[in-house]
Amino acid sequence: MKKILFVASEAVPFIKTGGLADVVGSLPKCFDKEYFDVRVMIPKYLCIKEEWRSQMTYVNHFYMDYLGQSRYVGILQYVYEGITFYFIDNESYFCGPKPYGDWYFDLEKFSFFCQAALSALPVIGFQPDVVHCHDWQTGLIPVYLKDRFRGGEFFCNMKSVITIHNLKFQGVWDVKTIQRFSGLPDYYFTPDKLEAYKDGNMLKGGIVYADAITTVSNTYAEEIKLPFYGEGLDGLMRARSGSLRGIVNGIDYDEFNPETDKYITQQYNAKNFRKEKVKNKKSLQEELGLPVDEKKFVVGIVSRLTDQKGFDLIQCVMDEMCTDDMQLVILGTGDEKYENMFRHYDWKYHDRVSANIYYSEPMSHKIYAGCDAFLMPSLFEPCGLSQLMALRYGTVPIVRETGGLKDTVQPYNEYESTGTGFSFANYNAHEMLGSLQYAKYIYYNKKREWNKIIDRAMATDYSWNTSAMKYQELYDWLIG
Ligand code: ADP
Ligand code: GLC
């Protein structure tokens, strides 16, 4: 049995701020259980809902020296859908209403988490062959495995993988601070190791020291070798390209299944969507106070409201977009400027725009099911899960051709009758508008064609099957 430990800062169903949680929570279930024992470790945040916290059981605790003090490290456990989740407890670090907040404190918090996570392994008696790290919050782990945790039998053969879900966030502060939090010697703070542009960089540590690096789509794996997408680390990505591969994300096909989804008004499938899907549109319109009109072209957005997601393009052409032959439904939270922009347009075009500035799992499902099209014009997108959810629900994605969006949405070709969505290449508001208008034209004027796009969208398979195999191959290769 090969033992794998996922270490990350979030995982569904316990705590989620974005797609990282979906991946860390759903991928472990999809490995071959005969050969792989995959477990997950995340912090025990105070903001994890009580319904989950109350079900965790105490495993053990110990004290660890960190920043000159002896600190409590509690270990809790919960087996969810056959997967063992471990939770690292320390109330002074994992407090607050959200997993992340203050940049500076987050660096201290996750440096602590990296050290506590590795120190906890001998205590619980789980000795993974591979520690699979995710994003900057766990970037110090591959470094520690080559450094202070190297000696002794327990850790000496442990391999590490780091998956980059978003290169934009790297865990950066001045060298002195990162050195203090990480407790690593001077040796590590040179430009070929944890130093980048004179600062300390935790993700860079992970990328330099991990035995393998993955990112969440093939296109993003190529893009990050270029200055535009490389966030200052494109040189390093080129240098490490031999150890870097793209493995596209999947989604949980049980959780996101229009045939069994309990959040939606009318369940449907690839055979009966022509008749049934529209019932979800009507109840969505009703619930959100939009005019109920089953013929109207309804476009949905479910997203963190940040620059990454292309909202400045939308802002640019919002007036042109909001014609009376369409409705736009937004669900998201994030940058105030975008929250307020959507609130403004909701006020201005109340019969066409519905801005829902909050986080809601049920509402997201209703939007994936009830809309005709799903808009995601990202500036960059390592993978993107929302468009995969839209495909699964037969809601036609309109995307910019970048990262995982390019790899998962095949553009409609009306002459060959192929494609699962609509896309545009340049980061340009009118190009986006052009795609949206083209989609709307097909929807209103070539309904049979539109339905065939849905047929093809719903026939795609972005469950974890194929990608979990690729991770298994990677683990096999690493373990040898
Ligand atoms: P990212 O991780 O960059 O935010 P992804 O597309 O990979 O983007 O994943 C986003 C995930 O978060 C999806 O599961 C999406 O449904 C969910 N999500 C984003 N905003 C909200 C919201 N306001 N309410 C409910 N779910 C949301
Ligand atoms: C990040 C990326 C997103 C990706 C997700 C899961 O949040 O922004 O594109 O789908 O991680 O890998």
Side-chain angles (χ1 to χ4, degrees):
M1 188 70 103
K2 290 169 178 158
K3 288 177 284 195
I4 315 293
L5 180 74
F6 275 41
V7 188
S9 57
E10 45 183 280
V12 292
F14 306 102
I15 184 86
K16 165 167 164 178
T17 71
L20 170 64
D22 291 301
V23 172
V24 175
S26 63
L27 172 57
K29 285 190 285 190
C30 304
F31 291 109
D32 187 337
K33 292 198 175 54
E34 250 183 70
Y35 299 100
F36 291 91
D37 175 1
V38 184
R39 307 186 189 182
V40 182
M41 190 177 269
I42 62 171
K44 180 179 179 256
Y45 301 105
L46 273 173
C47 59
I48 293 177
K49 280 206 190 99
E50 185 52 34
E51 67 172 291
W52 299 115
R53 290 160 49 83
S54 61
Q55 298 188 62
M56 299 172 185
T57 54
Y58 169 85
V59 178
N60 212 331
H61 77 273
F62 60 95
Y63 287 86
M64 182 180 87
D65 282 336
Y66 183 63
L67 297 180
Q69 279 182 39
S70 171
R71 317 258 176 169
Y72 175 85
V73 181
I75 308 161
L76 291 92
Q77 172 183 327
Y78 181 55
V79 180
Y80 180 75
E81 296 186 346
I83 300 298
T84 300
F85 286 82
Y86 295 111
F87 301 86
I88 297 292
D89 185 22
N90 178 297
E91 292 200 351
S92 51
Y93 281 123
F94 305 125
C95 50
K98 282 193 231 148
Y100 323 110
D102 175 66
W103 287 112
Y104 185 81
F105 185 58
D106 287 351
L107 295 166
E108 180 177 335
K109 179 186 342 187
F110 290 110
S111 302
F112 168 83
F113 176 59
C114 289
Q115 294 172 50
L118 289 179
S119 307
L121 294 177
V123 178
I124 53 185
F126 183 62
Q127 186 179 22
D129 300 293
V130 177
V131 182
H132 190 155
C133 308
H134 298 267
D135 273 355
W136 76 267
Q137 295 89 342
T138 53
L140 292 176
I141 289 178
V143 191
Y144 290 144
L145 283 175
K146 296 269 174 3
D147 182 69
R148 75 167 69 149
F149 286 88
R150 192 185 199 163
E153 249 178 56
F154 194 86
F155 289 102
C156 65
N157 289 320
M158 228 175 260
K159 298 284 196 288
S160 64
V161 178
I162 189 155
T163 295
I164 302 167
H165 294 264
N166 196 335
L167 195 57
K168 177 125 191 136
F169 305 105
Q170 300 178 1
V172 176
W173 210 269
D174 58 58
V175 166
K176 243 176 82 191
T177 302
I178 299 294
Q179 195 169 359
R180 195 163 65 83
F181 289 162
S182 65
L184 290 165
D186 287 345
Y187 167 81
Y188 287 97
F189 292 88
T190 56
D192 57 333
K193 305 189 190 75
L194 267 71
E195 184 191 315
Y197 306 97
K198 305 228 175 329
D199 280 330
N201 186 315
M202 289 173 46
L203 178 66
K204 189 175 176 205
I207 297 172
V208 171
Y209 284 95
D211 297 298
I213 310 159
T214 73
T215 186
V216 288
S217 68
N218 276 319
T219 293
Y220 194 61
E222 292 308 313
E223 285 174 340
I224 55 180
K225 295 174 197 159
L226 308 170
F228 185 81
Y229 294 99
E231 306 288 345
L233 296 185
D234 47 296
L236 174 63
M237 300 321 308
R238 291 195 295 277
R240 289 287 269 142
S241 61
S243 309
L244 167 70
R245 67 186 81 181
I247 301 179
V248 75
N249 287 333
I251 54 171
D252 187 332
Y253 263 36
D254 297 325
E255 184 70 27
F256 294 94
N257 181 357
E259 219 170 352
T260 55
D261 195 322
K262 291 196 180 58
Y263 294 131
I264 65 179
T265 308
Q266 177 64 53
Q267 279 96 31
Y268 60 97
N269 58 32
K271 291 202 187 79
N272 65 16
F273 74 84
R274 285 173 175 78
K275 238 180 83 213
E276 307 297 343
K277 188 179 191 305
V278 72
K279 295 178 187 163
N280 294 303
K281 183 195 305 199
K282 288 205 290 196
S283 59
L284 181 70
Q285 289 168 324
E286 202 174 300
E287 183 172 349
L288 299 179
L290 288 166
V292 177
D293 178 351
E294 66 176 61
K295 297 229 153 50
K296 194 79 86 182
F297 184 57
V298 181
V299 178
I301 294 175
V302 178
S303 184
R304 290 185 292 120
L305 303 179
T306 66
D307 289 331
Q308 173 188 337
K309 303 293 178 178
F311 288 110
D312 49 347
L313 296 189
I314 296 177
Q315 185 165 27
C316 227
V317 291
M318 196 62 184
D319 283 299
E320 288 165 80
M321 251 170 78
C322 297
T323 45
D324 65 3
D325 57 356
M326 75 165 258
Q327 294 176 347
L328 182 64
V329 174
I330 302 108
L331 174 67
T333 58
D335 293 356
E336 234 170 89
K337 63 175 172 183
Y338 295 129
E339 293 188 344
N340 290 334
M341 166 184 82
F342 285 123
R343 286 192 184 106
H344 168 76
Y345 283 104
D346 182 316
W347 165 79
K348 186 168 175 186
Y349 301 115
H350 199 63
D351 60 335
R352 296 171 205 172
V353 177
S354 169
N356 304 278
I357 311 301
Y358 53 81
Y359 185 92
S360 162
E361 204 73 27
M363 182 50 77
S364 72
H365 285 238
K366 289 175 196 176
I367 293 174
Y368 290 125
C371 295
D372 297 298
F374 189 86
L375 182 60
M376 209 168 162
S378 305
L379 172 61
F380 69 93
E381 197 60 75
C383 178
L385 301 177
S386 297
Q387 83 281 10
L388 305 182
M389 293 161 187
L391 288 168
R392 175 85 167 138
Y393 282 80
T395 298
V396 177
I398 303 171
V399 303
R400 190 172 92 84
E401 290 154 17
T402 183
L405 297 175
K406 185 170 174 186
D407 293 351
T408 57
V409 178
Q410 191 196 1
Y412 173 58
N413 181 320
E414 91 178 77
Y415 306 103
E416 291 171 6
S417 204
T418 54
T420 56
F422 293 80
S423 65
F424 60 100
N426 295 301
Y427 196 68
N428 174 299
H430 282 91
E431 251 186 65
M432 177 195 72
L433 188 62
S435 284
L436 186 71
Q437 284 166 341
Y438 180 38
K440 188 165 68 180
Y441 169 80
I442 301 293
Y443 171 85
Y444 279 120
N445 302 296
K446 298 193 172 180
K447 203 44 178 277
R448 289 189 57 187
E449 278 291 293
W450 182 264
N451 282 333
K452 283 195 216 153
I453 300 175
I454 302 181
D455 279 331
R456 291 188 292 268
M458 292 185 83
T460 57
D461 181 1
Y462 288 105
S463 66
W464 275 111
N465 293 342
T466 315
S467 295
M469 298 265 280
K470 292 193 177 155
Y471 282 110
Q472 287 182 183
E473 282 163 23
L474 176 65
Y475 300 148
D476 281 336
W477 173 77
L478 277 173
I479 297 166

